[in-house]
Amino acid sequence: MTEAYATIVFLFVLFTLLGSSIWIGLALMGVAWVGMEMFTSRPAGDAMITTIWTGASSWTLTALPLFIWMGEILYRTRLSQDMFRGLAPWMRWLPGGLLHTNIAGCTIFAAVSGSSAATLTTVGKMSIPELRKRGYPEYMIVGTLAGAATLGLMIPPSLTLIVYGVSINESIIKLFMAGIIPGLVLAALFMSYIVGWHFLRPHERPEPEPSMSFGEMLAESRFLIPVLLLVFAVIGSMYFGWATATEAAAVGVLGSLTLALFQRSLTLDAFFESLMGATRTSAMIALILMGAAFLSLSMGFTGLPRALAAWIDEMQLSPVVLIAALTVFYIILGMFLDGISSVVLTMAIVEPMIRQAGIDVIWFGIFIVVVVEMAQVTPPIGFNLFVLQGMTRHEIGYISKTAIPMVGLMLLMVVILVAFPGLATWLPENIRQ
């Protein structure tokens, strides 16, 4: 009865604070404070100070602002134009044509930016006008871009995976490596959707692109070299054991600054804008993590996570049934909270449950990123929908409809991960230490 009473109190205070438009980080701290005061004899102020300092001073967390800054710098370069120019010659001959540049461009940019919104904005600002000019259907342009931009959450460096790793005290590099193969598989699913559209709706195809010689295609590919070198510097340095996640983030910042200087697109104003943008985003995520750390401590004192884990164990749910239930839970939660908030808010409860069920925490990190990706393109709080609305001037309802097939493919990705867990676990297990 104590656990049930604590659950009701926690949920009531949480929804009351969130409904009053208080910042999520402060709302989490408020819930934790109430829990400490009501269910423990420990001074809430001392516990909050100690927990927040411990969580905020994590060395692993230093990678977060660096990766955010790297994405902010690249957003202000000519990277999107160069990527479209380098990718277009190779995508034009695929069934579906240049629509594949949305997927390929987002996949490449995701490897140098951990943000879904930054990926969407960078790729979209060049691909949308180019694809419109060539006569591609609007619903395909918007839908494929909305879905593909979510790859920024999975392909390393992923901000969501960093937050997840910090929340459960797991290796960030192993989580990064775990996201590579599933990210590429999901990108392939998105591209298969475009291929299906090409053959099922031939009347919507635009005029074919003019032919190019192989030499001309190679010459245009030179525009991809800088970003591919940056991808290798960031991901390769972690895979080969040359750098930790934080050191790789510093390498990425230096590489993006170098790329911006060579493109002559880094003005003093752009530099300070990128720095302030990274500071704002990092501070927002850090506040959420602080609140989540305090809430985890408060819930731990009530015994609520242990009681839920024991309850799940008594129900004798198979891991597959538990994953199915968590998929529905996170999809519903994602309709009202952003991805990072969903992760930190639930980890104190969910982590004991999955460990009790024998589910690999590395694999679960990739699973949770896939279901959080759906939250980016589902109303009413799908952040990618708002970004696309600003870029295309379409209604949220229209953009949501165009993204429905992509949400279906993400659900298919969950099924694939359950059927083939090695997609997420093979690379981390064989990573060169």
Side-chain angles (χ1 to χ4, degrees):
M1 287 301 294
T2 304
E3 286 83 5
Y5 176 57
T7 303
I8 294 169
V9 171
F10 276 128
L11 290 176
F12 176 76
V13 177
L14 177 64
F15 287 123
T16 301
L17 292 176
L18 289 178
S20 59
S21 300
I22 291 176
W23 292 348
I24 291 174
L26 295 179
L28 297 180
M29 288 183 194
V31 176
W33 183 281
V34 171
M36 291 292 290
E37 290 290 346
M38 291 187 65
F39 301 108
T40 75
S41 58
R42 184 174 177 179
D46 292 346
M48 182 175 73
I49 293 168
T50 305
T51 308
I52 285 177
W53 173 254
T54 304
S57 60
S58 166
W59 170 250
T60 308
L61 203 57
T62 55
L64 191 69
L66 290 172
F67 279 127
I68 294 171
W69 191 21
M70 182 173 70
E72 289 281 345
I73 294 167
L74 293 174
Y75 168 64
R76 289 166 174 79
T77 66
R78 294 200 315 272
L79 189 65
S80 59
Q81 296 94 318
D82 287 353
M83 275 202 304
F84 190 91
R85 213 171 149 183
L87 287 170
W90 303 98
M91 301 291 111
R92 54 195 290 281
W93 57 271
L94 292 174
L98 294 183
L99 279 173
H100 290 287
T101 57
N102 271 350
I103 315 298
C106 287
T107 304
I108 292 173
F109 191 77
V112 289
S113 170
S115 166
S116 172
T119 301
L120 172 58
T121 310
T122 304
V123 177
K125 70 180 180 182
M126 188 59 194
S127 70
I128 290 174
E130 290 290 338
L131 294 174
R132 280 174 172 171
K133 188 167 64 179
R134 288 166 169 81
Y136 285 90
E138 186 73 7
Y139 74 93
M140 286 298 293
I141 297 172
V142 175
T144 55
L145 191 56
T150 62
L151 292 169
L153 298 180
M154 180 179 290
I155 295 177
S158 162
L159 304 185
T160 306
L161 284 177
I162 294 175
V163 170
Y164 173 77
V166 170
S167 299
I168 67 164
N169 197 26
E170 188 52 74
S171 165
I172 302 299
I173 290 183
K174 284 188 176 182
L175 287 167
F176 277 0
M177 294 302 110
I180 294 175
I181 297 176
L184 295 176
V185 171
L186 186 56
L189 289 176
F190 291 156
M191 294 180 85
S192 67
Y193 167 65
I194 296 174
V195 172
W197 163 81
H198 175 85
F199 289 113
L200 293 175
R201 301 213 171 182
H203 59 282
E204 292 182 355
R205 299 177 196 167
E207 292 295 319
E209 295 289 309
S211 60
M212 291 179 70
S213 68
F214 185 71
E216 289 174 323
M217 292 169 68
L218 284 178
E220 290 294 293
S221 298
R222 73 184 187 276
F223 292 101
L224 288 176
I225 293 174
V227 69
L228 292 179
L229 288 175
L230 190 56
V231 170
F232 176 78
V234 174
I235 298 178
S237 63
M238 289 187 287
Y239 178 78
F240 290 109
W242 299 337
T244 65
T246 303
E247 291 163 350
V251 169
V253 169
L254 291 175
S256 57
L257 285 170
T258 304
L259 178 59
L261 286 171
F262 273 108
Q263 290 184 343
R264 296 181 180 176
S265 55
L266 187 67
T267 63
L268 197 59
D269 286 342
F271 176 82
F272 281 112
E273 284 174 13
S274 69
L275 197 55
M276 290 307 298
T279 302
R280 282 191 292 269
T281 305
S282 302
M284 178 266 292
I285 295 174
L287 183 62
I288 293 173
L289 285 172
M290 291 174 191
F294 187 31
L295 181 59
S296 297
L297 177 73
S298 178
M299 294 176 93
F301 273 111
T302 66
L304 188 58
R306 290 189 300 275
L308 277 173
W311 179 57
I312 294 295
D313 189 44
E314 288 171 7
M315 291 175 67
Q316 297 295 310
L317 291 179
S318 69
V320 173
V321 174
L322 179 59
I323 289 299
L326 287 173
T327 300
V328 175
F329 168 71
Y330 276 109
I331 290 174
I332 295 172
L333 189 65
M335 292 180 180
F336 305 98
L337 291 175
D338 66 278
I340 288 176
S341 301
S342 299
V343 171
V344 298
L345 181 61
T346 57
M347 270 308 105
I349 298 291
V350 172
E351 184 188 357
M353 290 165 51
I354 62 170
R355 290 189 188 275
Q356 187 76 26
I359 297 171
D360 187 282
V361 291
I362 297 287
W363 179 91
F364 188 77
I366 304 308
F367 157 79
I368 206 170
V369 166
V370 175
V371 291
V372 160
E373 283 177 344
M374 297 181 211
Q376 296 291 109
V377 289
T378 50
I381 314 292
F383 191 66
N384 283 11
L385 303 180
F386 293 113
V387 176
L388 270 171
Q389 185 184 37
M391 296 175 72
T392 63
R393 304 301 176 192
H394 289 303
E395 294 294 325
I396 289 288
Y398 174 82
I399 300 172
S400 302
K401 288 177 185 176
T402 66
I404 288 174
M406 314 306 276
V407 174
L409 291 173
M410 292 178 209
L411 285 171
L412 176 60
M413 186 65 208
V414 171
V415 175
I416 292 172
L417 278 173
V418 172
F420 305 101
L423 288 174
T425 58
W426 180 81
L427 199 54
E429 289 170 359
N430 292 275
I431 186 174
R432 189 173 301 214
Q433 296 295 336

